[in-house]
Amino acid sequence: MKRLHLHVSVPDIEPAIAFYSTLFDAPPSVVKHDYAKWMLEDPRVNLAISSRARATGIDHVGVQVDSARELAELATRLKAAGSTTFDQEATTCCYARSDKSWVTDTAGVRWETFFTHGEATAYGEDEVLPAPAKAACC
């Protein structure tokens, strides 16, 4: 079963943990000095926050899947729709080991489809995604 993923960059992790814990009436399932994650069933979402060096606000959205097969299906659909994906295998990010396929939508929003297959002791970093090609004017 797929789960919606949202990653929000926050200026200060502690007040953000308090806010989202109150909003969802649940503590985070993972807490680090710069990161927290809620794996909620209602709503079915993987909400992650971090105080990393990106601009505050929505960092990216995504779909978490339960298997490598589901990840391949999503990446195949994106490619069939004409989207260019940026694929990563066995990458470390957000204190987890995952395989990922990234795409930027038509509004410039970064979407991550991923299958997590282990934990990591370091936050890690995602590679910078290539900028989407801009359409020629006129």
Side-chain angles (χ1 to χ4, degrees), residues 45-96:
V45 66
N46 167 343
L47 172 70
I49 61 174
S50 67
S51 58
R52 307 300 290 183
R54 296 186 187 179
T56 58
I58 300 294
D59 184 75
H60 63 273
V61 295
V63 178
Q64 182 177 10
V65 298
D66 291 331
S67 70
R69 180 189 52 76
E70 284 182 311
L71 179 61
E73 287 173 11
L74 280 174
T76 299
R77 287 200 317 246
L78 289 167
K79 291 172 185 169
S83 299
T84 300
T85 61
F86 177 72
D87 301 322
Q88 297 175 294
E89 291 184 12
T91 189
T92 299
C93 184
C94 302
Y95 298 97

Side-chain angles (χ1 to χ4, degrees), residues 24-36:
F24 293 116
D25 194 27
S29 57
V30 176
V31 177
K32 305 291 183 181
H33 73 280
D34 59 350
Y35 176 83

Side-chain angles (χ1 to χ4, degrees), residues 16-28:
I17 288 173
F19 173 83
Y20 288 110
S21 292
T22 300
L23 175 65
F24 293 116
D25 194 27

Side-chain angles (χ1 to χ4, degrees), residues 103-111 132 134:
V103 68
T104 302
D105 75 9
T106 57
V109 176
R110 296 180 332 134
W111 278 83
K134 301 224 185 233

